[in-house]
């Protein structure tokens, strides 16, 4: 019986397969829809009328999604590059 090496002890186990494109898209657009819903609720509760409130919600949620959905966008981009053969 041999003693395991430090590398064997430190390894987290078998490598997980990267998530598929569908899973990544569902997470990304799910986050965008959730963010839009929350922003719309807040804007309408603050007293904005319906059509201008929804337009304002599109703008605010779009700006907020830039930093909040960055991880999902990068994961999608990386998966697409790996699918094309990587660089």
């Amino acid at each position: 019986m041999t003693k395991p090496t430090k590398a064997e002890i430190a390894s987290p186990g078998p490598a997980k397969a990267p998530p598929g494109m569908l899973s990544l898209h569902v997470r990304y657009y799910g986050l965008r829809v959730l963010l839009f819903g929350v922003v719309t609720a807040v804007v309408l509760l603050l007293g904005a009328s319906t059509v201008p409130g929804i337009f304002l919600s599109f703008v605010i949620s779009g700006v907020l999604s830039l930093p909040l959905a960055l991880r999902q966008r990068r994961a999608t981009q990386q998966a697409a590059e790996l699918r094309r053969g990587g660089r």
Side-chain angles (χ1 to χ4, degrees):
M1 185 155 211
T2 62
K3 189 174 176 182
T5 65
K6 288 183 182 180
E8 291 172 338
I9 293 171
S11 69
K16 287 186 190 177
M21 291 297 286
L22 179 63
S23 171
L24 292 170
H25 284 295
V26 167
R27 283 188 222 161
Y28 176 70
Y29 289 111
L31 177 64
R32 295 286 308 263
V33 168
L34 179 67
L35 185 61
F36 174 72
V38 170
V39 170
T40 302
V42 170
V43 167
L44 294 177
L45 286 174
L46 289 175
S49 39
T50 307
V51 174
I54 291 175
F55 177 74
L56 187 61
S57 297
F58 272 119
V59 173
I60 293 172
S61 67
V63 170
L64 287 176
S65 74
L66 291 174
L68 295 177
L70 183 63
R71 190 176 79 196
Q72 285 80 12
R73 272 195 304 280
R74 285 187 177 160
T76 303
Q77 180 183 11
Q78 182 181 17
E81 288 176 2
L82 287 174
R83 196 172 207 189
R84 279 187 250 138
R87 291 183 200 161

